[in-house]
Amino acid sequence: MGRISAEWLQLPVLQDLFTALNCDGHEARVVGGAVRDYLLGLPVNEIDFAATSKPPETTRLIEAAGFKAVPTGEDHGTVTAVRDGRSFEITTLRRDVKTDGRHAEVEFGTDWEEDATRRDFTINALYVDADGEMHDPLGVRQDVEDRQVRFIGDAGTRIAEDYLRILRFFRFFARFGSGRPDADGLKACARLKSGLTGLSVERIWQEVSKLLVTRDPGRAILWMRTTGVLTAVVPESENWGIDLIAPLLRAELEQGWEIDLTTRLAAMLPPQKERVEAFASRLKISNRAQTNLMDWLEAKEIFDAADTPRLRKALYLGSADGQIVKGKLEYARRQLPDAKQRGGLSDEDLLTAIDYARTWQRPGLPVAGRDLLELGFAPGPGIGEELTRLSQIWIESDFTLTNDELLAKISSSSGE
Ligand code: ATP
Ligand code: MG
């Protein structure tokens, strides 16, 4: 099968973990994402292990080698090993004995081929041992090379075992796929999409958000829409449409804009508070993600001039991130074939304003309560009121007034 010489394989902490796990007749191998990404020449972030030892044994072996063992999903057979600021998930070889589309009852085993067979896609079923030797129990290496995302076994059967695999199919297609998605997989996803409703919203959102921040989710999203999978998980996108996605992705590449979850999501959601709130609460997205969406909705059409006091004021008083999302989507909208011109700003000025907002640093008010106390203000609400007044003067000065200049503007009636 051949040896690989990945840099991460030489990490002392990783080799120590191998040594610990390859004890007492047990064996461990790196599996899944790390092997796949290495073969594709991509950076490897997470390194996951499969091991023949059962969780209590795994815990004992790694603790003896100075790792901290964190039980991560004991009924699934996963223990996380932590040492030297790195962590690795170790999952006992297993076989799914019973599945209901959401949870699997597992049986631990020692058979590598069985372990490979219960994994989702062929590209995720390659293993590497401590010496860097590659193991391919299902003979699927070519799929990795061809970037072919295919279910292991019958697509329909595998989806019915765990409907999350529908979303994982599109996520891995977004990341690795080229051309059209695998036809059998696509058909099965379309046929079985109603099973998605039985999944926990946390699992759904985790997959959807991961998909949205891949470099180019455009084709995956189109296929999700064609198969009705997108409507099943984001019904808000149904009548609104996803036309903005393609021009947004193009602009991101052309302009060097960062990949941003809020922007990508906003390109599919109707800009209406109730719809966005319904989306956020249904999928229980994080407070932070919710705030970001609200900032976008509340952002004003400020992009009426690039680099002006008015722009700086809007960025300061509103949310700069929200304004950036709004600006990017407006630029994407303008690239649509039948787009009507809105506002007086040229495309070029709009881009300048977006760039300005992206690099803008929020200035700090140059006076503080301490300055007022030193000037004889009595502690209390009067200080806050005076600071608010000074900050308004400062904003109107286009943030130019200094501490001295502002203190010179203290209203004499409030002082002393
Ligand atoms: P990523 O880089 O996104 O983390 P990954 O391949 O490591 O990719 P994970 O979600 O971390 O993906 O899962 C690790 C491995 O566990 C996968 O490679 C796959 O073999 C297996 N796996 C994960 N989820 C499922 C599932 N729902 N059904 C079957 N196998 C799964
Ligand atoms: Mg992973």
Side-chain angles (χ1 to χ4, degrees), residues 23-86:
C23 239
D24 300 345
H26 292 297
E27 189 187 356
R29 295 174 184 172
V30 170
V31 63
V35 186
R36 177 198 66 212
D37 293 350
Y38 168 79
L39 289 175
L40 289 173
L42 301 169
V44 166
N45 311 313
E46 288 177 355
I47 300 173
D48 302 321
F49 283 81
T52 56
S53 49
K54 296 195 175 64
E57 185 74 352
T58 301
T59 303
R60 191 181 64 78
L61 292 173
I62 65 176
E63 279 179 350
F67 287 87
K68 192 172 158 228
V70 184
T72 312
E74 273 214 76
D75 41 338
H76 285 97
T78 305
V79 176
T80 303
V82 185
R83 209 187 82 185
D84 304 343
R86 316 251 342 196

Side-chain angles (χ1 to χ4, degrees), residues 33 36 46 118-120 124 162 165 168 171 175:
R36 177 198 66 212
E46 288 177 355
R118 65 97 189 158
R119 293 180 182 273
D120 44 11
N124 291 341
D162 179 1
R165 290 173 187 158
R168 291 176 62 85
R171 171 158 82 84
R175 227 156 102 193

Side-chain angles (χ1 to χ4, degrees), residues 338-365:
D338 52 352
K340 291 188 203 72
Q341 191 65 31
R342 217 164 49 194
L345 204 60
S346 71
D347 284 7
E348 223 164 289
D349 278 351
L350 176 58
L351 287 177
T352 311
I354 294 168
D355 266 342
Y356 185 81
R358 286 171 62 221
T359 51
W360 177 79
Q361 303 260 338
R362 190 176 181 79
L365 180 63

Side-chain angles (χ1 to χ4, degrees), residues 97-118:
V97 283
K98 213 171 106 206
T99 52
D100 63 359
R102 296 193 295 163
H103 309 287
E105 215 171 272
V106 306
E107 203 169 78
F108 297 135
T110 51
D111 187 315
W112 292 96
E113 187 175 333
E114 251 178 13
D115 183 73
T117 306
R118 65 97 189 158

